[in-house]
Amino acid sequence: MYFKSKKMNSKIALVILNYNGEKLFPVFLPSVIEHSTNDFTEIIIADNASTDNSIDYLKSNYPTIRRIELTQNHGFAEGYNQALDILKLEKQFDYYILLNSDVEVTQNWLNPILEIFEHDTEKNISAIQPKIRMHAHKHLFEHAGAAGGMIDYLGYPFCRGRIFDTLEEDKGQYNNQIPIFWATGAAMAIRAEVYHNLGGLDKDFFAHMEEIDLCWRIHHTGKNIVYCPKSTVFHLGGGTLNPMSERKTYLNFRNGLTLLLKNLPSKNLFFKIYFRMLLDGLAGIKFLLDGKPKFTLAIIKAHFYMYANLSSILAKRKDNQKKFGNLKLPSIVYSKSIVWQYFAKKNKTFDKLEN
């Protein structure tokens, strides 16, 4: 039985951004259709100018599903911006759900999310993330989001249920609804007005960590992001980009530095960036020792990107300062180094982290 909004007219746009994901549609789209077809949700496929047969497949097998066909591959960030800007003009959606094309959803997954939004009459909650477990090993939390995204003071993201490469089994230990720092772009629900008021995702990120940047801007407004344990989805991960590729390594290190430069408070900014770059250097050395020189090169390229684009990144920082005033570190940020906790202290699960 579907939850009925008090307003009776709240509407969700469930938008799946696709790029060459034809092979994923027969595996994942049926669950989305089965468990998301209702009177308050419209399923939309936004195609990032795929070069495979994605569009033909959709036309033949799901002709009634709405498509937004973009003219080029804008990447994750700008792809969503372009699609959601089109939906904004229609003025009919209260909430957006950004859903990866390699996510299987479950029965009744939308209801708890909508309930949180609708019961939050003061609109203090801007975004929500469901519980995310692995598609291949469904008892384990998944890398992208798990039971809610967190971040340490040096900008290293981690999750309840996943720190670096350690995935926890879901034993109900994270079945409490709590505020989190970031919601994954693999399955993020967000108020439409918030998305557009904040300018959407930063297109220069292209892909990876752009949702963390958006969530950080939400925190700058004083609003919250919460984890919804009553809603569960299963994520394949790496559906359109190899999770062990040099490209992903480059994007993660590049965007991590950009994230900090845009959002950290001015106090100790230089020290934190410098220390973060030192840790990046250690990661590069480890890649060399592991026989992965291409990954080391990816980190070097990420740093040179920052040098070459420092003025434009700092301009975005100034924009944030104009919009939000003095940038402050949200209290939810983990005050210790997750790198030190994990590698030196061997605290590899969330419950073992030192306060």
Side-chain angles (χ1 to χ4, degrees):
M1 183 175 180
Y2 290 113
F3 169 76
K4 295 295 184 181
S5 161
K6 290 180 181 179
K7 295 189 296 181
M8 297 302 291
N9 61 353
S10 291
K11 193 165 184 183
I12 296 172
L14 194 166
V15 185
I16 299 172
L17 186 67
N18 173 67
Y19 179 69
N20 289 348
E22 177 192 3
K23 66 182 184 300
L24 300 173
F25 287 144
V27 180
F28 296 99
L29 199 50
S31 74
V32 176
I33 294 171
E34 179 181 0
H35 301 305
S36 312
T37 301
N38 52 56
D39 58 1
F40 57 82
T41 305
E42 181 174 2
I43 301 170
I44 301 165
I45 308 291
D47 187 77
N48 239 342
S50 294
T51 57
D52 64 359
N53 293 317
S54 289
I55 297 299
D56 289 338
Y57 179 88
L58 291 171
K59 287 179 179 178
S60 298
N61 294 275
Y62 299 100
T64 61
I65 290 184
R66 180 178 174 183
R67 301 185 309 277
I68 297 175
E69 298 181 26
L70 304 176
T71 57
Q72 66 184 77
N73 179 16
H74 295 280
F76 184 93
E78 185 63 6
Y80 265 117
N81 288 343
Q82 293 274 336
L84 299 187
D85 279 348
I86 291 172
L87 299 182
K88 178 185 177 182
L89 297 175
E90 300 174 4
K91 299 180 180 179
Q92 62 169 317
F93 296 106
D94 300 279
Y95 313 109
Y96 298 139
I97 291 184
L98 284 57
L99 191 72
N100 275 15
S101 57
D102 59 350
V103 170
E104 175 189 340
V105 304
T106 59
Q107 184 177 9
N108 200 43
W109 77 289
L110 286 175
N111 290 11
I113 292 172
L114 186 58
E115 286 178 1
I116 292 173
F117 276 139
E118 295 288 274
H119 291 160
D120 176 34
T121 56
E122 299 298 319
K123 296 187 177 181
N124 289 318
I125 297 171
S126 292
I128 300 169
Q129 182 201 290
K131 178 185 290 188
I132 303 181
R133 302 208 307 247
M134 291 186 68
H135 185 260
H137 306 284
K138 294 189 175 181
H139 62 293
L140 297 177
F141 284 105
E142 208 272 330
H143 187 276
M150 300 295 183
I151 199 168
D152 78 351
Y153 78 105
L154 291 173
Y156 284 99
F158 61 100
C159 306
R160 297 200 311 163
R162 190 277 300 171
I163 303 177
F164 291 107
D165 292 329
T166 298
L167 299 172
E168 294 184 48
E169 182 178 357
D170 181 12
K171 299 179 179 179
Q173 69 272 42
Y174 303 123
N175 278 355
N176 54 328
Q177 178 182 311
I178 65 162
I180 56 178
F181 187 84
W182 55 274
T184 177
M188 172 196 284
I190 186 169
R191 294 184 188 273
E193 62 180 337
V194 170
Y195 188 93
H196 295 297
N197 287 344
L198 292 177
L201 299 165
D202 185 339
K203 67 178 182 180
D204 290 333
F205 277 63
F206 189 78
H208 297 292
M209 299 183 76
E210 65 287 292
E211 75 269 51
I212 303 179
D213 174 66
L214 176 58
C215 289
W216 205 326
R217 281 179 277 142
I218 288 174
H219 287 292
H220 286 324
T221 69
K223 302 300 183 180
N224 297 312
I225 302 154
V226 302
Y227 161 69
C228 177
K230 294 181 180 180
S231 175
T232 300
V233 302
F234 300 99
H235 184 212
L236 176 64
T240 57
L241 181 62
N242 187 334
M244 292 304 294
S245 71
E246 302 96 68
R247 173 67 172 167
K248 182 171 182 178
T249 299
Y250 166 74
L251 290 171
N252 279 335
F253 279 85
R254 183 196 76 173
N255 294 346
L257 289 172
T258 302
L259 179 75
L260 295 179
L261 281 169
K262 285 183 62 178
N263 295 290
L264 275 177
S266 297
K267 184 179 180 181
N268 298 325
L269 174 62
F270 175 79
F271 165 76
K272 290 178 179 179
I273 294 295
Y274 178 73
F275 191 45
R276 170 64 186 262
M277 293 178 73
L278 284 178
L279 291 176
D280 287 357
L282 292 176
I285 292 172
K286 185 177 187 302
F287 279 132
L288 275 178
L289 296 176
D290 291 343
K292 299 176 180 178
K294 291 183 178 180
F295 289 81
T296 303
L297 183 60
I299 296 175
I300 294 172
K301 287 180 178 179
H303 283 205
F304 273 98
Y305 173 92
M306 187 194 71
Y307 301 141
N309 294 274
L310 186 59
S311 60
S312 63
I313 297 171
L314 291 179
K316 293 178 181 180
R317 176 181 177 81
K318 288 182 179 179
D319 286 342
N320 279 350
Q321 290 171 322
K322 288 179 182 178
K323 290 178 182 177
F324 311 120
N326 291 329
L327 303 179
K328 298 179 181 179
L329 199 66
S331 59
I332 197 171
V333 171
Y334 184 55
S335 62
K336 298 183 183 297
S337 168
I338 193 65
V339 173
W340 181 259
Q341 288 288 311
Y342 186 87
F343 292 103
K345 293 281 193 174
K346 305 299 181 183
N347 295 327
K348 299 196 172 186
T349 58
F350 186 83
D351 63 310
K352 296 294 193 299
L353 296 180
E354 297 175 352
N355 295 321

